[in-house]
Amino acid sequence: MRRLPAPHDANPELGELVISEEQIRSRIAELGREISADYAGRPPLLVGVLKGAFVFMADLCRAVDLPVEADFMAVASYGSATRTSGVVRIVKDLDLDLTDRHVLLVEDIVDSGLTLSYLRRNLLAREPASLAVCSLLVRDADDQEELDLAYVGFRIPSGTFVVGYGLDVSERYRNLPFVCAYAASPPRFAS
Ligand code: IMP
Ligand code: MG
């Protein structure tokens, strides 16, 4: 991994660059082409999971060459600042009805998979025509649920807690245009 250029080098909370702006841009273009081909003739309803997915969602929806629709839901998970407990609460529900829609759930990162398995159950109960998941990042983890992700941007190693491009620590760093390690990581991530 490459060192971050200044001024991020000067911030001791930020660590190594994990995914550059250019890598994100080119991977999203690829995902957009795949999604456009897979959903030709049945434009998907993109469902972004707030807040982490808002940056990815904005770029991904513009990379899809189909008349997509977009909606958002916000979830809060009980747990520590850096690890979910799997108990998820819907803070903002969708505006649109999912019945008979081809739903593509857009996530920032899948870690344990607990948030995702909750969301999957919740959305399937609304009887969409199909439900698939696109996650920008997937962390390699031992204790991961069965994931079944149709589209994955990047896999990151288990020891790295990351920020940027929508991902936060206590609401900070979502606006970084790249993904980098959070150096002041909690013990589970300190490697
Ligand atoms: P899971 O339920 O363990 O899969 O956790 C998924 C959620 O935890 C994501 O939607 C993020 O909000 C948060 N999360 C997990 N890992 C990171 C990270 O490295 N940086 C920022 N947020 C993370
Ligand atoms: Mg978060």
Side-chain angles (χ1 to χ4, degrees), residues 82-84 107-116 139 156 160-163 167-168 189:
T82 53
R83 185 72 171 160
T84 57
E107 264 280 26
D108 55 351
I109 182 166
V110 176
D111 181 18
S112 67
L114 291 168
T115 304
L116 182 59
R139 178 180 291 107
I156 62 169
T160 317
F161 191 85
V162 292
V163 294
L167 292 110
D168 73 307
F189 291 96

Side-chain angles (χ1 to χ4, degrees), residues 3-184:
R3 282 302 300 172
L4 288 172
H8 308 292
D9 256 354
N11 184 339
E13 284 198 353
L14 299 182
E16 301 291 315
L17 180 65
V18 177
I19 305 164
S20 70
E21 255 185 284
E22 182 47 40
Q23 286 175 296
I24 294 172
R25 196 176 7 253
S26 72
R27 185 68 186 119
I28 289 179
E30 284 173 6
L31 290 172
R33 283 192 291 273
E34 270 182 57
I35 292 167
S36 304
D38 294 351
Y39 285 89
R42 45 168 202 140
L45 168 60
L46 304 179
V47 169
V49 184
L50 296 173
K51 300 176 200 170
F54 84 99
V55 180
F56 179 42
M57 178 82 162
D59 285 340
L60 183 71
C61 73
R62 287 177 290 175
V64 177
D65 189 17
L66 293 171
V68 298
E69 290 172 47
D71 203 354
F72 292 91
M73 62 195 295
V75 298
S77 52
Y78 296 101
S80 67
T82 53
R83 185 72 171 160
T84 57
S85 64
V87 181
V88 179
R89 182 168 54 98
I90 294 180
V91 175
K92 180 218 172 288
D93 206 347
L94 297 170
D95 296 327
L96 303 177
D97 182 3
L98 300 190
T99 314
D100 299 329
R101 301 301 309 269
H102 293 285
V103 175
L104 183 56
L105 188 65
V106 179
E107 264 280 26
D108 55 351
I109 182 166
V110 176
D111 181 18
S112 67
L114 291 168
T115 304
L116 182 59
S117 61
Y118 170 84
L119 285 174
R120 210 193 282 274
R121 277 197 309 279
N122 186 288
L123 297 182
L124 282 173
R126 307 179 196 203
E127 306 193 330
S130 68
L131 175 64
V133 179
C134 177
S135 187
L136 176 69
L137 304 174
V138 177
R139 178 180 291 107
D140 294 328
D142 299 334
D143 54 351
Q144 217 161 38
E145 303 274 299
E146 192 60 50
L147 293 181
D148 188 24
L149 303 172
Y151 308 95
V152 172
F154 303 90
R155 295 187 182 276
I156 62 169
S158 59
T160 317
F161 191 85
V162 292
V163 294
Y165 201 73
L167 292 110
D168 73 307
V169 169
S170 304
E171 302 303 327
R172 288 194 60 201
Y173 303 121
R174 294 193 198 275
N175 62 329
L176 294 176
F178 45 76
V179 174
C180 69
Y182 180 64

